[in-house]
Amino acid sequence: MDLGNLGIFKLMSRKMDWLTQRQEVISQNIANANTPEYKSRDLKSFSFRDALSDNRRLTPVATDPSHLAGTRGPGGLAKEQKVSDPYETAPDGNNVVLEEQMMRMGQNAMDYQTITNLYKKQVTMIKSAIRSGG
């Protein structure tokens, strides 16, 4: 039984992927804190509503060789990056505020731990249902 095919697990996996990618972006911001003209970046906020609507999109399938290949709109919630608008910019043009990045990193870690705990609880519930036969 592949848990990845169940809706709740797909959503939690996507959220964890998004959090992992956000961690990378935050790390890049911190690494470039002293780089002139570097603009801090962040990912587009993760929305379960958007994730659900993205999952409902159908992938076109050619059932006949004469069919044209279909296209699918741009997917991937985490790929869209935006430049954050900080309240502070250094004279060299760098707008990375380390305190802000550290707060984001801490919040990101807490969110990841929360999703991990939810994932574990869901697996425990499924195991319990299987053991009880119901």
Side-chain angles (χ1 to χ4, degrees), residues 6-132:
L6 298 176
I8 188 76
F9 289 102
K10 277 185 184 179
L11 286 174
M12 286 190 286
S13 293
R14 289 187 73 184
K15 175 73 173 185
M16 289 169 68
D17 290 342
W18 181 85
L19 289 167
T20 300
Q21 289 180 3
R22 187 166 192 232
Q23 180 71 25
E24 291 174 13
V25 171
I26 293 169
S27 298
Q28 289 171 357
N29 289 343
I30 292 171
N32 288 296
N34 294 323
T35 304
E37 298 298 322
Y38 183 82
K39 305 297 181 206
S40 65
R41 299 179 305 152
D42 199 0
L43 297 180
K44 178 183 170 190
S45 297
F46 184 88
S47 163
F48 282 107
R49 181 181 306 267
D50 292 342
L52 284 172
S53 66
D54 192 46
N55 278 343
R56 290 184 188 142
R57 282 191 210 159
L58 297 176
T59 304
V61 176
T63 56
D64 186 274
S66 63
H67 289 167
L68 296 175
T71 59
R72 186 173 176 187
L77 300 171
K79 290 185 173 75
E80 299 178 33
Q81 293 187 353
K82 63 178 183 175
V83 175
S84 62
D85 297 324
Y87 56 88
E88 184 178 314
T89 302
D92 65 359
N94 184 311
N95 69 0
V96 176
V97 180
L98 286 176
E99 293 83 5
E100 180 182 311
Q101 298 302 316
M102 296 307 287
M103 284 185 351
R104 286 182 184 169
M105 185 176 283
Q107 182 64 46
N108 202 58
M110 287 188 303
D111 290 348
Y112 193 89
Q113 187 63 44
T114 300
I115 295 294
T116 303
N117 288 338
L118 286 171
Y119 201 96
K120 288 177 187 176
K121 292 288 184 187
Q122 293 293 322
V123 170
T124 302
M125 284 182 5
I126 288 175
K127 285 180 180 179
S128 175
I130 290 170
R131 276 189 227 128
S132 67

